[in-house]
Amino acid sequence: MDRENRVSITVIRRLPKYYRYLGELLKKGINRISSQELSKLTGFTASQIRQDLNNFGGFGQQGYGYNVEELRNQLGKILGLDRTYKTIIAGAGNLGQAVANYRGFEEAGFKILAMFDKNPKLIGLKIRDIEIKDVDEMENFIRENNIDIGIITTPKESAQDVADIFMRSGIRGIWNFAPADLKVDDKVIIENVHLNESLFTLSYFLKNESDYVRD
Ligand code: NAI
């Protein structure tokens, strides 16, 4: 997709939600859905949904709606979920272990090959079948295994060092949980996850209930 035809990030951020709901519909054996019905499920307006999906070449048919399986497959391809990704975790503490313990990432195609930590007490332990290795081995491991995505769950003080190792060893995507604004070069895509921001948004809406608008 060239620069002018790029789809806006707000549209992209809605796609995983469509994808998730379509998966749930499929599990229930529902094979066809109108944009109105999708609107009731997702909370987005029907015209918003049609507009979003039209960005990628309209998938629906007037009077028929959308074929759930086809649309989910197409969205999966658009989201890059039609392939698998090799990932590693830097920082095998509470959060790193929680991420490693969740099987859902692997089921979605994100295989965690190893975890890395600097604490000798953790090195050699396993979370499910994922071994915690010495962080000194991380750079070589990334190169040898062509790791696609690096997950950062170290304290914020170490996060930039970890990101630097990721960059120089060829990682293209960083999923960063540390509360740090990391500097990365143009070749690397970084996606920050801050649960606090979501929690503080919840707190805002609890305080200002009349402003609550579902999106
Ligand atoms: P933790 O202290 O349990 O784990 C951090 C681990 O990183 C430790 O095992 C430590 O030995 C290791 N470590 C430190 N420097 C390292 C380095 N240079 N290379 C490799 N490993 C290194 O901390 P916890 O609770 O797991 O939190 C981890 C990070 O996640 C923190 O930055 C925290 O602020 C952040 N966090 C973010 C959340 C979010 O929503 N984004 C939610 C909870 C925590």
Side-chain angles (χ1 to χ4, degrees):
M1 198 171 279
D2 60 42
R3 198 166 264 281
E4 272 150 43
N5 290 329
R6 272 200 192 156
V7 178
S8 86
I9 186 72
T10 43
V11 175
I12 306 288
R13 290 204 187 279
R14 282 195 286 268
L15 298 186
K17 191 165 180 179
Y18 295 134
Y19 186 77
R20 176 162 61 84
Y21 277 107
L22 290 165
E24 285 170 16
L25 289 169
L26 265 189
K27 270 193 207 144
K28 289 185 194 150
I30 298 169
N31 278 315
R32 182 175 150 178
I33 190 156
S34 65
S35 41
Q36 285 80 7
E37 288 164 319
L38 253 181
S39 159
K40 273 189 216 137
L41 279 177
T42 58
F44 306 136
T45 65
S47 74
Q48 177 88 83
I49 293 170
R50 283 193 295 269
Q51 251 178 49
D52 283 354
L53 299 178
N54 276 341
N55 276 299
F56 305 97
F59 299 114
Q61 271 174 38
Q62 199 128 37
Y64 175 87
Y66 298 98
N67 177 299
V68 175
E69 188 170 12
E70 204 179 294
L71 180 58
R72 185 171 184 272
N73 287 342
Q74 292 298 335
L75 291 184
K77 275 190 200 153
I78 290 163
L79 287 166
L81 299 174
D82 56 342
R83 55 159 289 192
T84 55
Y85 294 89
K86 291 195 262 184
T87 77
I88 56 152
I89 297 177
N94 291 304
L95 186 59
Q97 293 193 20
V99 172
N101 256 314
Y102 178 54
R103 286 169 202 276
F105 298 131
E106 198 165 314
E107 284 161 14
F110 299 85
K111 169 98 180 134
I112 302 166
L113 269 63
M115 304 175 77
F116 294 89
D117 206 286
K118 65 174 193 184
N119 180 350
K121 289 192 185 134
L122 292 174
I123 294 163
L125 298 181
K126 279 190 172 178
I127 306 299
R128 300 192 290 130
D129 59 342
I130 305 164
E131 190 180 338
I132 303 175
K133 296 173 183 285
D134 190 325
V135 72
D136 289 345
E137 296 170 27
M138 187 165 75
E139 189 162 345
N140 274 343
F141 186 94
I142 295 170
R143 288 182 201 280
E144 280 165 16
N145 292 281
N146 291 318
I147 299 297
D148 303 294
I149 297 174
I151 302 171
I152 302 182
T153 49
T154 62
K156 71 168 188 254
E157 295 73 23
S158 313
Q160 185 64 55
D161 288 347
V162 169
D164 291 344
I165 298 175
F166 284 175
M167 275 187 287
R168 66 172 182 263
S169 43
I171 271 185
R172 286 193 44 236
I174 298 180
W175 201 26
N176 172 44
F177 286 81
D181 292 319
L182 302 177
K183 292 186 179 58
V184 292
D185 59 40
D186 293 349
K187 283 181 243 131
V188 177
I189 315 275
I190 185 158
E191 182 67 21
N192 297 298
V193 183
H194 298 310
L195 299 183
N196 275 359
E197 290 175 8
S198 170
L199 191 60
F200 297 168
T201 309
L202 174 65
S203 151
Y204 170 87
F205 283 119
L206 286 176
K207 190 172 173 235
N208 306 276
E209 263 179 84
S210 57
D211 292 352
Y212 188 68
V213 183
R214 252 187 120 68
D215 69 7

